[in-house]
């Protein structure tokens, strides 16, 4: 959880991801204190990417070795962004990061439909993970995060996750 309306999944170096998420949490809090409103998802993602990009410009520092999937809901609706270590960002309706990305993305491209219900979206995500891992999906290694309008971001329990 970055904020109660934003969640994040990571791929790559865990320590780098934690550092970026801590920074994102701080940016979200500063925005709320300064402007008395929740930060827009795209604004937060741009700030993270700008920070990541500065680490690609100078000698003596290394780029952050992590890709982030950042999902949230703001007044513009649900948003999903993918960031890479260079600081580039892309917005998607469904996306994946990590080792099985190409298989999962192929599955999303074939099966994603606009306006899917929450339950159907979760099943789609789990099936995409199954495709991305070439059928070697470990149910104990899956976490499902839910972000909806007027409902705080939360991660389903292990029991709830295993149902899917």
């Amino acid at each position: 959880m970055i904020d109660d309306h934003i969640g994040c999944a990571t791929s790559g170096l865990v320590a780098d991801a934690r550092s970026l998420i801590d920074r994102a949490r701080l940016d979200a809090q500063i925005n709320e204190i300064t402007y008395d409103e929740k930060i827009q998802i795209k604004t937060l993602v741009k700030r993270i990417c700008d920070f990541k990009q500065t680490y690609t410009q100078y000698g003596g520092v290394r780029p952050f070795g992590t890709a982030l999937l950042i999902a949230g809901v703001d007044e513009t609706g649900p948003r999903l962004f993918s960031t890479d270590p260079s600081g580039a960002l892309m917005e998607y309706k469904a996306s994946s990061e990590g080792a099985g990305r190409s298989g999962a993305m192929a599955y999303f491209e074939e099966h994603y439909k606009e306006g899917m219900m929450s339950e159907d979206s979760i099943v789609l995500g789990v099936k995409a993970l199954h495709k991305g891992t070439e059928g070697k999906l470990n149910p104990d290694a899956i976490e499902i995060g839910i972000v909806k309008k007027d409902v705080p971001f939360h991660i389903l329990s292990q029991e709830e996750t295993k149902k899917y």
Side-chain angles (χ1 to χ4, degrees):
M1 180 189 310
I2 293 175
D3 199 359
D4 63 0
H5 69 298
I6 306 170
C8 180
T10 69
S11 175
L13 300 176
V14 176
D16 286 359
R18 285 187 184 169
S19 175
L20 290 168
I21 289 169
D22 285 346
R23 184 178 178 88
R25 287 175 177 156
L26 189 60
D27 282 345
Q29 290 172 0
I30 289 170
N31 189 88
E32 191 161 359
I33 289 167
T34 304
Y35 301 109
D36 196 28
E37 64 182 32
K38 300 285 186 188
I39 194 167
Q40 287 189 350
I41 313 308
K42 190 169 189 173
T43 301
L44 180 67
V45 173
K46 283 182 177 180
R47 287 184 187 170
I48 293 167
C49 287
D50 287 348
F51 183 68
K52 286 171 83 171
Q53 199 280 327
T54 60
Y55 277 76
T56 68
Q57 294 180 348
Y58 304 105
V61 295
R62 66 167 178 80
F64 288 94
T66 187
L68 305 175
L69 273 179
I70 301 170
V73 176
D74 57 25
E75 67 274 0
T76 64
R79 309 292 291 271
L80 175 65
F81 291 91
S82 174
T83 75
D84 68 18
S86 73
L89 66 96
M90 288 292 295
E91 186 170 12
Y92 294 97
K93 297 290 185 177
S95 188
S96 174
E97 287 296 337
R101 183 178 195 278
S102 59
M105 291 301 285
Y107 190 85
F108 284 140
E109 287 173 12
E110 186 176 338
H111 295 93
Y112 174 81
K113 292 175 182 52
E114 191 72 35
M116 295 177 78
M117 301 303 292
S118 294
E119 296 288 315
D120 297 331
S121 298
I122 293 170
V123 170
L124 177 74
V126 171
K127 287 182 177 180
L129 280 173
H130 185 264
K131 182 78 168 175
T133 60
E134 298 173 355
K136 300 175 188 137
L137 192 59
N138 177 3
D140 294 324
I142 297 174
E143 287 185 336
I144 299 173
I146 306 292
V147 60
K148 290 183 177 180
K149 188 173 179 70
D150 301 324
V151 178
F153 173 82
H154 63 282
I155 296 174
L156 297 182
S157 70
Q158 199 70 324
E159 293 78 35
E160 291 172 303
T161 298
K162 285 185 179 182
K163 290 182 209 172
Y164 294 101

